[in-house]
């Protein structure tokens, strides 16, 4: 069957040889004592890139979001999030379970924004009937869609006016920055905190960084310890993240090119429609659940893995595989 093309997610990327070398030569110490020089270097570099006071290396994006929400909100508070936001649907209810913080879902619009008029309506009055609304959580990219800087700026003004904090689930915010051709700090300047995945398109084996001001990060550090995320000689992993931040960010544009190339090739299928032109590294298919299941099975027989309707491009997908992918889709389409 040859090599597998894995489009299920950009989390599947493996560390390159150069990244592995950076890991094996990393200086280490005990990070719970604050003594791992490579973790400290990663945190300093992430803070500098995002122009925030401090950063915290966390085990996953979920831990970055959770430590942030628990730091912004207390027991009985709530956060506003998109109704299919990662922070609402895909993090096992962590904020509610561990922090007694309730989510208030609001539907995303087609641009992946939380409409600010709906967010306004969702804010609870200050009255003993209600949870206290403390935080707005946005997501960028949202299923591959990039939030405009204009929207982020309006969201910032909105949270200032309403006294909320603003957290960005920036699992793929570097994809957004590369697409907009701006430094990541042009995105993070609009938010109080942001979690950034190192383990997706950037290609590190694990980890995220949470960035924010010093008091938020101090609080997140305590939550991280409580969650069992205080790591010791974590410099080996931080070295991969630091390598990724220094060497892999601009490469994300190649993943965006691969997605567009694939999208162009798939535009004229009979059985499968596509959402609009990809903004970043995802092509989103629109077809019945039955067709998608058949497609998934067919592609798997030919060495291509997909998870339902998303094709996610990343650094371990060679650009030449686009032609093969298009051919496979055409064969599938013709057989229906
Ligand atoms: C992947 C992802 C996360 C974090 O996921 P982990 O698997 O916990 O690292 C958070 N938000 C979004 C939108 C994601 O896609």
């Amino acid at each position: 069957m040859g090599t597998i093309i894995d489009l299920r997610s950009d989390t599947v990327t493996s560390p390159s040889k150069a990244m592995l070398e950076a890991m094996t030569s990393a200086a280490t110490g005990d990070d719970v004592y604050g003594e791992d020089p490579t973790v400290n270097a990663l945190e300093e570099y992430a803070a500098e890139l995002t122009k925030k006071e401090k950063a915290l290396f966390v085990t996953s994006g979920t831990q970055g979001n959770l430590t942030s929400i628990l730091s912004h909100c207390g027991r009985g508070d709530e956060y506003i999030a998109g109704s299919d936001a990662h922070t609402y649907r895909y993090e096992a209810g962590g904020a509610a379970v561990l922090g007694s913080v309730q989510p208030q879902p609001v539907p995303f619009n087609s641009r992946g924004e939380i409409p600010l008029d709906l967010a306004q309506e969702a804010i609870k009055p200050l009255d003993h009937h209600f949870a206290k609304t403390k935080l707005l959580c946005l997501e960028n990219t949202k299923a591959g869609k990039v939030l405009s800087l204009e929207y982020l700026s309006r969201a910032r003004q909105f949270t200032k006016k309403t006294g909320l904090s603003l957290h960005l689930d920036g699992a793929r915010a570097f994809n957004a920055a590369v697409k907009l051709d701006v430094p990541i700090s042009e995105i993070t300047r609009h938010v109080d905190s942001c979690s950034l995945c190192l383990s997706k398109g950037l290609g590190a084996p694990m980890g995220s960084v949470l960035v924010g001001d010093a008091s938020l990060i101090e609080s997140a550090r305590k939550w991280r310890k409580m969650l069992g995320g205080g790591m010791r000689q974590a410099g080996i992993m931080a070295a991969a993240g630091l390598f990724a931040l220094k060497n892999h960010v601009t490469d994300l544009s190649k993943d965006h090119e691969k997605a567009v190339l694939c999208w162009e090739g798939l535009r004229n299928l009979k059985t499968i429609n596509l959402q609009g032109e990809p903004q970043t590294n995802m092509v989103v298919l629109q077809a019945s659940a039955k067709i998608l299941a058949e497609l998934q099975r067919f592609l798997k027989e030919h060495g291509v893995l997909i998870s339902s309707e998303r094709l996610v491009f990343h650094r371990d997908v060679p650009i030449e595989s686009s032609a093969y992918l298009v051919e496979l889709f055409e064969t599938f389409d013709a057989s229906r």
Side-chain angles (χ1 to χ4, degrees):
M1 191 166 67
T3 27
I4 301 252
I5 302 172
D6 195 342
L7 304 177
R8 288 172 302 167
S9 175
D10 44 9
T11 54
V12 300
T13 45
S14 293
S16 63
K17 198 153 171 279
M19 181 179 276
L20 286 169
E21 275 161 18
M23 295 168 74
T24 50
S25 61
T28 57
D30 190 324
D31 180 50
V32 173
Y33 296 149
E35 289 172 5
D36 188 303
T38 312
V39 172
N40 293 341
L42 169 66
E43 291 176 348
E44 276 157 32
Y45 189 65
E48 192 185 305
L49 273 186
T50 55
K51 299 201 175 143
K52 293 293 179 201
E53 284 174 16
K54 294 278 178 192
L56 183 69
F57 182 43
V58 289
T59 57
S60 65
T62 299
Q63 193 176 68
N65 287 330
L66 179 58
T67 53
S68 178
I69 294 171
L70 297 180
S71 298
H72 286 296
C73 303
R75 183 174 156 85
D77 292 342
E78 72 171 12
Y79 65 102
I80 297 171
S83 11
D84 65 343
H86 205 279
T87 49
Y88 175 53
R89 273 188 84 133
Y90 299 100
E91 298 185 358
V97 174
L98 298 159
S100 301
V101 181
Q102 94 176 355
Q104 168 60 61
V106 166
F108 283 118
N109 67 18
S110 61
R111 291 185 294 277
E113 302 163 355
I114 292 183
L116 298 174
D117 54 339
L118 297 188
Q120 177 72 59
E121 284 169 23
I123 296 175
K124 309 280 192 295
L126 286 175
D127 172 303
H128 64 269
H129 288 86
F130 302 109
K132 184 152 190 245
T133 314
K134 275 288 190 57
L135 175 68
L136 176 64
C137 282
L138 300 176
E139 195 168 306
N140 195 16
T141 65
K142 164 70 191 123
K145 291 176 192 163
V146 176
L147 295 181
S148 71
L149 296 177
E150 181 272 330
Y151 170 75
L152 284 172
S153 157
R154 279 194 292 118
R156 170 80 292 181
Q157 285 162 23
F158 166 77
T159 53
K160 270 195 180 146
K161 190 184 77 193
T162 50
L164 304 186
S165 299
L166 181 52
H167 172 72
L168 182 65
D169 176 355
R172 297 187 181 86
F174 279 106
N175 292 79
V178 165
K179 173 68 184 190
L180 295 172
D181 198 18
V182 296
I184 189 74
S185 57
E186 283 301 304
I187 292 176
T188 51
R189 67 192 281 258
H190 297 294
V191 301
D192 296 304
S193 56
C194 178
S195 60
L196 297 153
C197 280
L198 303 167
S199 62
K200 291 192 166 160
L202 293 181
M206 63 158 281
S208 280
V209 283
L210 174 70
V211 299
D213 68 19
S215 66
L216 181 103
I217 296 299
E218 190 187 319
S219 161
R221 189 179 291 282
K222 182 166 178 178
W223 282 113
R224 184 188 70 170
K225 183 76 182 123
M226 206 185 292
L227 295 167
M231 297 174 282
R232 302 293 177 174
Q233 284 72 39
I236 293 174
M237 290 301 170
L242 192 55
F243 183 90
L245 287 180
K246 289 190 171 166
N247 299 285
H248 288 174
V249 173
T250 52
D251 287 350
L252 294 172
S253 68
K254 295 183 199 154
D255 301 340
H256 303 171
E257 266 174 56
K258 292 173 213 170
V260 169
L261 215 59
C262 175
W263 179 81
E264 282 172 348
L266 301 186
R267 264 193 304 177
N268 297 317
L269 302 176
K270 295 185 291 34
T271 53
I272 299 164
N273 290 320
L274 304 179
Q275 230 176 47
E277 180 167 349
Q279 297 178 13
T280 56
N281 64 332
M282 292 182 205
V283 173
V284 183
L285 311 176
Q286 292 171 331
S288 67
K290 181 168 169 285
I291 289 280
L292 286 175
E294 285 170 14
L295 175 70
Q296 192 175 30
R297 211 171 321 118
F298 172 83
L299 292 176
K300 194 170 175 188
E301 283 163 12
H302 294 85
V304 176
L305 305 181
I306 62 170
S307 61
S308 68
E309 81 288 359
R310 282 199 317 195
L311 313 182
V312 186
F313 291 83
H314 52 79
R315 54 189 304 111
D316 291 359
V317 178
I319 192 147
E320 310 80 61
S321 57
S322 304
Y324 175 60
L325 275 172
V326 171
E327 198 185 300
L328 277 183
F329 270 84
E330 282 172 350
T331 309
F332 174 82
D333 198 48
S335 71
R336 296 299 113 172

mmCIF file of all heavy atoms in Angstrom, residues 99 165 217 231 326:
data_model
loop_
_atom_site.group_PDB
_atom_site.id
_atom_site.type_symbol
_atom_site.label_atom_id
_atom_site.label_comp_id
_atom_site.label_asym_id
_atom_site.label_seq_id
_atom_site.Cartn_x
_atom_site.Cartn_y
_atom_site.Cartn_z
ATOM 1 N N GLY A 99 -13.400 23.282 38.275
ATOM 2 C CA GLY A 99 -13.422 24.650 38.772
ATOM 3 C C GLY A 99 -14.798 25.126 39.182
ATOM 4 O O GLY A 99 -14.939 26.261 39.655
ATOM 5 N N SER A 165 -12.868 39.243 30.877
ATOM 6 C CA SER A 165 -11.538 38.924 30.366
ATOM 7 C C SER A 165 -11.713 38.240 29.019
ATOM 8 O O SER A 165 -12.806 37.754 28.709
ATOM 9 C CB SER A 165 -10.805 37.983 31.319
ATOM 10 O OG SER A 165 -10.656 38.602 32.573
ATOM 11 N N ILE A 217 -0.320 33.992 34.785
ATOM 12 C CA ILE A 217 0.549 32.823 34.582
ATOM 13 C C ILE A 217 0.940 32.211 35.933
ATOM 14 O O ILE A 217 1.052 30.992 36.060
ATOM 15 C CB ILE A 217 1.784 33.203 33.724
ATOM 16 C CG1 ILE A 217 1.329 33.618 32.310
ATOM 17 C CG2 ILE A 217 2.797 32.073 33.657
ATOM 18 C CD1 ILE A 217 0.582 32.553 31.499
ATOM 19 N N MET A 231 6.025 19.251 35.405
ATOM 20 C CA MET A 231 6.941 18.259 34.820
ATOM 21 C C MET A 231 8.357 18.535 35.311
ATOM 22 O O MET A 231 8.674 19.631 35.709
ATOM 23 C CB MET A 231 6.858 18.322 33.294
ATOM 24 C CG MET A 231 5.472 17.956 32.782
ATOM 25 S SD MET A 231 5.288 18.198 31.005
ATOM 26 C CE MET A 231 5.068 19.970 30.887
ATOM 27 N N VAL A 326 -6.400 13.770 -5.397
ATOM 28 C CA VAL A 326 -7.436 14.194 -6.336
ATOM 29 C C VAL A 326 -7.876 12.995 -7.184
ATOM 30 O O VAL A 326 -9.069 12.750 -7.377
ATOM 31 C CB VAL A 326 -6.937 15.366 -7.209
ATOM 32 C CG1 VAL A 326 -7.918 15.679 -8.333
ATOM 33 C CG2 VAL A 326 -6.704 16.595 -6.331
#
